[in-house]
Each structure stands twice: as C-alpha cells, then as structure tokens.
Amino acid sequence: MQSSFDTTLIHGGLTTDPRTGAVNTPIFQTSTYAQDELGKHKGYEYSRTKNPTRDGIESLIAECEGGKYGFAFASGMAALGTILSLFKSGDCLIISQNVYGGTFRILDKVFKNFNINYKIVDTRDLNELSSALTPEVKAVLIETPANPLLSVTPLAKVAELCKKKGVLSIVDNTFMTPYLQQPLKLGIDIVVHSATKYLGGHSDLVAGLVVVDDENLAERIGFLQNSIGGVLAPFDSFLLIRGMKTLGLRMQRHCENALFLAEALSEHKAVEKVYYPGLKSDSEYEVQSSQARGGGGMLSFILKPEYDYRIFFKSTRIIALAESLGGVESLLCHPASMTHASIPKDLRESMGIAENLIRLSVGIEYGKDLLEDINQAIEQAKSNNGKLK
Ligand SMILES: *Cc1c(COP(=O)(O)O)cnc(C)c1O
C-alpha cells in the first residue's frame, strides 16, 4: 500500500516556517495583522479571511486530494452548509440514499426553508439517476460507501453523467479519505470531508474540509467561507495537520482489521449478514475495488434473531458504544436508534436498516483482541433456552 502519498502526508502543504525553520506549522493564534502602510500588507489582514496555520491544512488537503484549492471549516457540517450556500431558491440537489443524518437534516430542515430542495436517489443506479436529472437539479451529492449499509456509487460514471448535463458533482469522502479514494481524479467537482473522523483520526477535534480544482468554483467557495465565517481555528488546524501525518499508517491498519473482522463475522454462526465492500463476496466489491485502494474501516452486520442485540451492545469490553467513527479506537453504533433515528421506522426498514443491524468503526487495536471482544459479547447475547436474558 506504500506510495509517495505517504510522503505528501508528512511534507505536503506548508509545513515549515521560513523565519525560524520550525519543522512543524506554527500556531498563529492571532485575529489580525499589522499593515506596513495604507493598502500594503503581507498577505494577511484578518484571520477569518486568512490565517497561516489554516493555510497549512488547506494546502495539505488540496495536495492530498489532487486539487488546487482547499478550504478548512469548523466542522463537517460547516463545510457542507457553505457548499449548499452555492445554490439559490428554486434549485434542487440529488442526494444518495443513506447520506449522513446531519446532511439530510440541514437540507430538510434548513435549506428547504430557502426553497433549495432535495431528491433522494439510489446513485448506484445510473438509469434512475439520469431520469432524476430534471432541469431544476443543479448538483448531485454522493456518499460512497454510504452509511450504514456501505453501498457504493460508481464515481467516474456519475461524474461523466453530471458533466454531460451541466450539473455539479459533490462527494462526501469522509469514509474513504484521499488515502483510499480521490474523487477529483475521477472527474468529481467538489470533495467534502468531516475531518473529525479519519483525517483527524484521534477523536479529539471537530473539523471540515473542502477541495476543488476549478478556479471559478474556488473563488465562489472562498467568498462564501469568508462571508459565512465558519472557519477552522488555528489550534485545530494544527491538530488536524498533526493527525494527518499518520493517516497512511492508520488507514492501512483500519482496512486490515476491518477485513479480518468482516471475514470472521461472515463465517460466524450468530451472524446473518455482513456488509463490507472490501470483502470479495460483497455485492459492492467490484465497484469499490475499481475506484478505491481498500474497503475502509467501517463495517456493519446483522445478528441472528436468537441473539439479543441489546445485550450485545452492553457487553463489549474494549469496543465502546458511541456516535462518531474513524478514530484510532473501535466504536459500536446502533443505526436504528442513533445515527438514523430521525428517519421514520417504516422508511428506515425499507432501506435495510433493521433493528438488529450493528455498525462497527474498526480501530487500529490488535485485530484478534477486537474479535475476542466481539465473540464474548455475542456469547452473552445468546438467548437462554429461547428466552432472552
Ligand atoms: C460526521 C459526518 C459529517 C458531519 O461532520 P461533523 O464534523 O460532525 O460536522 C458529514 N458527513 C459524514 C459522512 C460524516 O460521517
């Protein structure tokens, strides 16, 4: 898996300070900058507009995604909210089935009030997508693999279709990171990240990033970033640069551990089904492996009805039950009552999000310790002579 991408993670962006030679990007904890004379400054006027530490992470993520322009925000939602502000009343966006709950919420409860509407489409199906591209549709917003069933959208084909119709293509690349998947190189226009997850990687920071390659688009996004003002603070910019240095090592281990667990669970007598696009037997494997370097660190599985999933969730010892994902530590989530609770039960079940569906963000611990923990929790969840414990 090694490549010069690993070098970019360490040396990319603006990592040194010309004045002192500091090896790491200094934290410029300042709101403003003294100007030499009227109309003459050193490129920095006010930190909402531009800050050297934020410059560091913005140029690093741009380099990593293979785009020219990067933007850093105070959260993934601040990044998405800024991107959605590119649109105007009467416009409509197509979103993948199972987009992140917060993305659905900001469209459904915020932007809808401004008459910016959305349509949910299974973006894996190009015919369905093509016929949904009516004149008011101005963008397609994709997550791939999408949460929690890890369904995979073919990015190059969607990008081509969008280009043909003059529609913007946007990919939320949070689950893959540029280490595994680089949507701009497949023809996508805008990449968005919740850097809170794998890019930060240590569950100690909330941040969002955007990358584009087109100058005109970059100008509009830069204007919105400064106008709306949801920018990433200097200290958090520093933390994110620091976290990203080990992205390569972490993603390799996330993928290795997730594949190990997916293989073990798919042979487990207590497990009905496993969803992991890195598994050769998975329905999404072919498309996933054509556009990404690995299956990633997220997997989901369904426990057989003889096992009480509620007992499973409280029985793991290493793996914590928590929202979020992408950190070094493994986390469990119950999509039906946590990430996808805002979706009505009938709709949720028709989308395949069953009550006994378990989502696992596989960390970088020793894989066998994780499997042992899951096995003992499954053992405890086993019903007692047909009666639930
Ligand atoms: C977490 C997440 C977001 C939102 O990001 P925040 O940093 O929590 O604001 C958006 N998209 C995906 C796929 C996410 O997992």
Side-chain angles (χ1 to χ4, degrees), residues 75-77 80 100 103 143 172 174-175 194 196-197 206-207 325:
S75 68
M77 288 321 303
L80 279 156
Y100 177 71
T103 305
E143 275 177 40
D172 181 333
T174 301
F175 274 37
S194 168
T196 311
K197 315 294 167 56
V206 174
L325 60 106

Side-chain angles (χ1 to χ4, degrees), residues 47-62 68-83 190-196 199 205-212 218 221-241 244:
S47 278
R48 169 159 37 74
T49 316
K50 203 162 146 71
N51 172 281
T53 318
R54 202 174 86 223
D55 281 352
I57 182 61
E58 290 181 336
S59 56
L60 177 61
I61 190 64
K68 286 199 201 78
Y69 309 94
F71 303 90
F73 297 89
S75 68
M77 288 321 303
L80 279 156
T82 303
I83 292 307
I190 304 177
V191 168
V192 187
H193 281 282
S194 168
T196 311
L199 294 176
L205 140 96
V206 174
L209 297 169
V210 169
V211 184
V212 299
I221 294 168
F223 174 80
L224 290 171
Q225 181 190 38
N226 186 44
S227 302
I228 299 171
V231 294
L232 193 62
F235 183 71
D236 289 351
S237 299
F238 162 82
L239 265 187
L240 185 49
I241 294 169
M244 279 182 66

Side-chain angles (χ1 to χ4, degrees), residues 173-184:
N173 205 25
T174 301
F175 274 37
M176 287 285 97
T177 82
Y179 187 77
L180 297 177
Q181 174 173 281
Q182 295 169 311
L184 296 181

